[in-house]
Amino acid sequence: MAAILLVEPNVAFRRMMEQLLRQSGHEVFGADDADTAGRHMKDHELDLVVTELKLPGKMQGAEFLEWMRDLPPPGDPARVAVSSVPMLSQQEAYFRAELALDGFLVKPFKPSSFRAAVEAALKAAS
C-alpha cells in the first residue's frame, strides 16, 4: 500500500481517481491546489504525488513540481503529472526531464492507463 496525494482541481474527477487508487489498496489524500497539497505534505510522508499541471491559485502544477524537485519533501515521493491540455503531450520528454517526473498523462485517459502510470511510478521510485 502506498500513500498517494492527488492534486486535482476538478473535484468529481479527483474523487474518481481516488476511488480507483483505493480499490488498488492505496491510502489517498486529495487537494485542489498547490497550497493545500503543500500542507498535506508537511503532515504525511508520501510515496507518490499526482498533480494536474493547471491549478488554481498562485502556484501552477509545474511550479509545484519544480518546488518538489528542488526541495524534496520527506520520503522524496515519485511524481506523475496530469495535463488537461492535449498539446502538452508533445512536450512529455521535456516535462519528464525538467520536472523529474516518473509519469505523464494527458486527459482524457482510461482508468487502466491511470493505474498503470501510478504503478510504474511507484515501482521506479522504489
Side-chain angles (χ1 to χ4, degrees), residues 81-103:
V82 176
S83 177
S84 56
V85 181
M87 285 184 3
L88 292 181
S89 66
Q90 299 169 0
Q91 297 177 322
E92 179 179 350
Y94 168 78
F95 283 118
R96 281 181 177 268
E98 183 65 24
L99 302 175
L101 296 178
D102 300 290

Side-chain angles (χ1 to χ4, degrees), residues 47-59:
D47 299 300
L48 174 65
V49 175
V50 178
T51 185
E52 165 65 59
L53 291 176
K54 188 171 181 156
L55 295 175
K58 297 176 187 174
M59 186 183 292

